[in-house]
Each structure stands twice: as structure tokens, then as C-alpha cells.
């Protein structure tokens, strides 16, 4: 299998441990403080701490995260990417309407809890693990945000959060997600972009697809012998089958989502990374190395 080019616990810049909630909190606060001087950012500490409690099984009414791919590292990595996109947009001289501090905090909250729908509730006896909710997890995440945000003083944003989180999924067409204005749509595009670029740029993305994502798809009825009746999407017969489809998935995702529906907003991250588009560089590296390996010429 292709070996990672950097430590697997580090973000795309190699500077932030995205398995450590405290390290990510510090990075988020540093980024947001620069873009929104004077804003009260203590809510960021609360949001990340509650995220960690949720994934550890310490949040009332919920079990611990029990799926291997969409784990807390993924969520923290996505949230760091989201902060870079928000702040990078704020630094961009050619940007459209500026996102204010409240929308920035909402973006962070949505990134942190965009996969909360995979977490099973304590009383859940229907399924053995959260991967069973693969096809419906975004709607469940919207429900979680509606319930959670009022507990941290963000009641006014809970309905908007429930719409924005759909930019990370496929349950609704992107252009049909109801938002009120250009700023809200931009925030949704940043969120959907962060979710994609963080995971595809992951140092261990290829191994995770084979060893972890396949297991989730199998439990969720998208792979193996237990494909759900009536499911008409793409399915995978084995971990190797999923891996072989990954270069095509990356290319299609860049074309249809990142450059298409999300209007190439990934470019804003470079404004926080010394002008380099590290996410897209890492994604291309993963894609090209996997293609070479599949052709029998590992790089």
C-alpha cells in the first residue's frame, strides 16, 4: 500500500495535530482572531469541547463514535480547513460580501457537527453501529444541530445550520438547498468544500478508503454482499474495488463539486497557507500516486 508522505495525525500543512481537540481549538482561535479582532471567541472552546465529548460517548443521550472513517480526526481536519477558507475569504481582495463573525462561528459549528448524524443515540437498538446511517446521516446531523445550538446560546442560528449542513451531503441537490442570500450560500459552499478537501488531502486517505471507508459502506448497505434493496447508487464488491474507483471519484468530485457546484472556493485556503494551495496539491498527489500504483508503477 502507498505510504503516507507526512505524519498521519497532522493536517495538510504538517503543523497541527488534528487528532488533538486542544491543538485544533488553538489553531481555530488564532485564525479567527486575526480575521475578527475583538470578537468573543470563547464559544469556539465550548463547541470543540462538546464535539470531543460527543465522539467519546460522554455527551448525554449519545453513544461514542463507532465508525472508523468519519471519526473525530476527520471532523477536526474539516473544521480546520473550514476556518482557513473563511479567513482566506476575508483576506481576499476580490471577495464578494464579507462573512461577519456570527456567520464565521456558525460555519465552525456546522463543520464540527456535520457528521453528528453518524453518532447513535443511547436508545438506538435498530443498528449495530452508526455506519448504518450512511445514506441519511446528513439529515440526522441537521436534527442534531437544531437540538444542540440552543444549548450554547445559538438558537437564532439553528434553522440556518440545518440547511447549511446539507452542503456536505447528497440528500439534496446543492442548487435546491434553501438559503436566504449570497452570504449564506457562500458559507454553505465553503462548508461543502472543507469536507471534501480535508479528507481527500489526508496523508492516509488511500489506506483509509481501503481499510475504513469500505467497512462503513459495507455496514451502510453500499458495499459487499449486503447492498440495501432498492439502492441505485454506486456499489463496491471489495476494498480493492473501492480503491480502484477512487481516482475517478477524485476527478469527478473536483469537476462537479469543487469547481462546479462550489465555484472553486477552495482557492481561499491558500491565503492562510503562504500562498500555496496545499489541499489541492495533496489531493493531486494522492490521486496520481494511486493511479500509478493501480497501474503497477507505485511512486
Amino acid at each position: 500500500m502507498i505510504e503516507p508522505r507526512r505524519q498521519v495525525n497532522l493536517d495538510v500543512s504538517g503543523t497541527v495535530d488534528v487528532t488533538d481537540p486542544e491543538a485544533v481549538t488553538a489553531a481555530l482561535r488564532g485564525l479567527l482572531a486575526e480575521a475578527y479582532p475583538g470578537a468573543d471567541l470563547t464559544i469556539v472552546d465550548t463547541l470543540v469541547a462538546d464535539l470531543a465529548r460527543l465522539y467519546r460517548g460522554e455527551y448525554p443521550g449519545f453513544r461514542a463514535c463507532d465508525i472508523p472513517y468519519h471519526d473525530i480526526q476527520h471532523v477536526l481536519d474539516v473544521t480546520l480547513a473550514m476556518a482557513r477558507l473563511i479567513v482566506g475569504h476575508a483576506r481576499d481582495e476580490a471577495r464578494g460580501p464579507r462573512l461577519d463573525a456570527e456567520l464565521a462561528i456558525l460555519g465552525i459549528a456546522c463543520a464540527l457537527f456535520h457528521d453528528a448524524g453518524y453518532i447513535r443515540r443511547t436508545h438506538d437498538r435498530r443498528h449495530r453501529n452508526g455506519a448504518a446511517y450512511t445514506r441519511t446521516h446528513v439529515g440526522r446531523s441537521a436534527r442534531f444541530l437544531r437540538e444542540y445550538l440552543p444549548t450554547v446560546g445559538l438558537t437564532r442560528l439553528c434553522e440556518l445550520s440545518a440547511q447549511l449542513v446539507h452542503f456536505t451531503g447528497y440528500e439534496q441537490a446543492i442548487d435546491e438547498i434553501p438559503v436566504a442570500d449570497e452570504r449564506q450560500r457562500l458559507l454553505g459552499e465553503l462548508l461543502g468544500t472543507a469536507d471534501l478537501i480535508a479528507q481527500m488531502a489526508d496523508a492516509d486517505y488511500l489506506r483509509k478508503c481501503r481499510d475504513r471507508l469500505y467497512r462503513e459502506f459495507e455496514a451502510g448497505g453500499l458495499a459487499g454482499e449486503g447492498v440495501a434493496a432498492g439502492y441505485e447508487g454506486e456499489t463496491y464488491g471489495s476494498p480493492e474495488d473501492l480503491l480502484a474507483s477512487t481516482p475517478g471519484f477524485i476527478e469527478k468530485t473536483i469537476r462537479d463539486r469543487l469547481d462546479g457546484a462550489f465555484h472553486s472556493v477552495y482557492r481561499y485556503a491558500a491565503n492562510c497557507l503562504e500562498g500555496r494551495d496545499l489541499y489541492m496539491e495533496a489531493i493531486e498527489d494522492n490521486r496520481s500516486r494511486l493511479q500509478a500504483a493501480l497501474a503497477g508503477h507505485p511512486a
Side-chain angles (χ1 to χ4, degrees), residues 10-24:
L10 298 180
D11 79 303
V12 73
S13 73
T15 63
V16 181
D17 184 348
V18 287
T19 67
D20 182 351
E22 292 185 2
V24 173

Side-chain angles (χ1 to χ4, degrees), residues 212-259:
R212 300 185 187 184
L213 185 59
Y214 180 82
R215 285 161 53 196
E216 285 190 21
F217 282 170
E218 192 173 33
L222 281 69
E225 298 179 358
V227 173
Y231 177 67
E232 298 179 352
E234 187 169 4
T235 59
Y236 310 95
S238 68
E240 292 72 26
D241 186 22
L242 173 60
L243 201 61
S245 74
T246 298
F249 168 79
I250 293 173
E251 291 170 6
K252 185 176 189 300
T253 297
I254 293 173
R255 181 184 68 245
D256 295 349
R257 287 234 156 185
L258 294 182
D259 284 330

Side-chain angles (χ1 to χ4, degrees), residues 110-213:
C110 288
L112 284 167
F113 297 103
H114 79 278
D115 278 342
Y118 282 112
I119 308 298
R120 290 188 298 153
R121 293 178 182 258
T122 305
H123 61 261
D124 188 347
R125 298 290 186 272
R126 294 176 58 198
H127 303 293
R128 288 181 297 176
N129 63 61
Y133 294 110
T134 296
R135 289 180 291 162
T136 60
H137 77 278
V138 179
R140 287 167 51 86
S141 298
R143 175 186 171 189
F144 179 89
L145 282 161
R146 282 193 183 99
E147 296 175 355
Y148 169 71
L149 291 185
T151 70
V152 291
L154 298 177
T155 302
R156 64 193 177 281
L157 299 175
C158 64
E159 287 305 316
L160 176 55
S161 73
Q163 299 302 333
L164 293 177
V165 75
H166 282 282
F167 281 85
T168 68
Y170 295 83
E171 294 177 22
Q172 289 183 239
I174 297 300
D175 59 0
E176 295 177 1
I177 299 172
V179 289
D181 56 38
E182 185 180 349
R183 292 192 309 159
Q184 292 181 8
R185 181 159 295 280
L186 169 64
L187 191 61
E189 292 177 358
L190 296 176
L191 178 63
T193 295
D195 184 28
L196 292 170
I197 63 174
Q199 62 184 299
M200 293 193 300
D202 188 314
D204 210 18
Y205 176 60
L206 304 177
R207 184 160 23 207
K208 286 180 177 180
C209 285
R210 185 194 65 184
D211 297 344
R212 300 185 187 184
L213 185 59

Side-chain angles (χ1 to χ4, degrees), residues 5 206 280-290 299:
R5 292 205 192 271
L206 304 177
M280 299 306 288
E281 289 178 17
I283 291 169
E284 174 55 26
D285 183 61
N286 279 338
R287 185 197 64 79
S288 62
R289 294 171 71 212
L290 176 56

